[in-house]
Amino acid sequence: MSKKKMVVLGAGYAGLRTIKGLQKKNMDLDITLINKNSYHYEATQLHEVAAGTNPGEKISFEVKDVIDANKVNFIQDEVTKINHEANEVSLKSGKTVSYDYLVVALGFESESFGIKGVDEFGWPLVDIKTAEAAKEQLDKNLKNYQLSKDPKDLSVVVCGAGFTSIEYLGEITNRLPKLADKFNFPANEVKITCIEAMPKLLPMFSENLADYGVDVLKKRGVDFIVGTPIKEIKESSVVYEQEGELKEIEASTIVWTTGVRGSSVIGESGFEERRGRVMVESDLTVPGQPNVFMIGDVSAVMDEESGRPYPTTAQIAMAQADHVVDTMERKLAGQEPTAFKYNSLGTVASLGNNDAIGHTMNKDFKGYIASVMKKGIADKSLLQVGTPSVLLKKGRFDFYH
Ligand code: NAD
């Protein structure tokens, strides 16, 4: 009897971790991985590329360096549709790939929330290309100031104050003196504004940690405007609402980091979804489709404690991948799947190279120690989706800078 075909879509944290688990277990499966790029990138470090601290190569590595070509067939192509009735995946090249079991791990995209001008004038940070483009836009404007003397070339607006924004702000404010030297602009005239819709900053941390994080960034020159939803992005300005009034702030660099959604392939394939995320069964399969797993940023798993789906993170994506591998082992052995259980190990947000805030093991951490934890988490993830050699090449060992 021919082997059952297991197809994994996406080589992000969820997909690549699944592949690593499947190839290690030597299950009786014909395994295929499909990914748009030849490489995996550390989505948690995109802010470093956007701020120019690290090049794209530092936070990415080739998929072929991780997969065992004797066990996994790798197809570099873009998934355009999942035809779940035909158990088939359509690819941009025109090819189709059939499956018996499918793991959908297609990751996230920028979310515009339908706000005017976002797609045209906002610079999102969702993959290597967009992070590099945001860096180029920033560099171009800072450099241009020498000729233009236009204050908006020294004005940067960061939209939203979620994790990505805070980490980007931490990175960019750290780099500013170096950039001022490089492009010869007055660092003290740079205006960095972060506009957040909600009234409270960093609500995911304790008040003490949130205050620390906000103070650090304010001292480095960030101006926070809160309780002010953004209403429109124009070519060189951001329109927001403050106490019922529309206000506008000029900026040549507008970084759009107000949240993400799951891949649009999910909606286009007819899955029941909300913002590209499918509410999965307890074993992480799609309701009514026990051979289709949905994991990472395209899945929503209910946190019974909070009554809301868990936030999408690299940590939960990799835990889901491990559960899929375990479930496949059980399925092939004729056993019932178990329910996915998630214990978050905590959260850390970087504030630049040597500073961070974090909560883990029921304790708050801030400053240098939290920044070491942040680097440790990134290094651990590299081992979880990569190999020891990937860790040696791409890991963060600059603890003493
Ligand atoms: P997010 O959802 O965490 O933050 C988006 C922020 O933008 C929110 O504070 C929201 O209120 C604000 N916002 C939304 N619409 C707005 C508008 N119109 N005007 C002004 N503000 C607006 O999104 P993210 O930072 O992109 O992160 C995405 C996911 O990735 C999250 O689940 C996050 O937990 C995770 N993440 C985690 C880390 C980490 O653990 N260090 C780092 C990056 C991302």
Side-chain angles (χ1 to χ4, degrees), residues 115 160 162-164 167 195-198 229-230 258-260 312 348 374:
I115 294 170
F163 271 106
T164 309
E167 295 193 323
I195 306 178
E196 166 59 47
M198 303 307 280
I230 291 167
T258 53
V260 295
T312 51
V348 186
K374 175 83 190 172

Side-chain angles (χ1 to χ4, degrees), residues 228-240:
T228 47
I230 291 167
K231 295 292 179 187
E232 185 179 348
I233 305 289
K234 296 186 184 172
E235 189 170 0
S236 300
S237 69
V238 176
V239 179
Y240 61 93

Side-chain angles (χ1 to χ4, degrees), residues 101-115:
Y101 297 103
L102 184 70
V103 181
V104 186
L106 287 169
F108 65 98
E109 293 173 1
S110 178
E111 172 68 288
S112 71
F113 300 101
I115 294 170

Side-chain angles (χ1 to χ4, degrees), residues 14 104-107 260-263 266 271-287 292-304 306-313 316-317 320 340 342:
V104 186
L106 287 169
V260 295
R261 47 159 292 135
S263 164
I266 305 304
F271 289 102
E272 199 177 307
E273 47 99 40
R274 202 173 155 259
R275 287 176 64 190
R277 298 176 76 189
V278 173
M279 187 60 77
V280 289
E281 299 283 12
S282 65
D283 65 351
L284 307 179
T285 57
V286 174
V292 179
F293 296 93
M294 204 58 89
I295 59 173
D297 292 8
V298 292
S299 75
V301 181
M302 190 53 85
D303 174 2
E304 300 300 341
S306 70
R308 285 196 310 234
Y310 287 107
T312 51
T313 61
I316 193 168
Q320 288 177 308
F340 171 71
Y342 180 58

Side-chain angles (χ1 to χ4, degrees), residues 15 18 39 44 68 72 141 166 169 177 187 219 244 247 286 291 306:
T18 306
Y39 56 84
T44 58
D68 179 342
V72 178
N141 295 329
I166 294 296
L169 287 166
K219 279 192 190 121
K247 300 204 169 161
V286 174
N291 63 332
S306 70

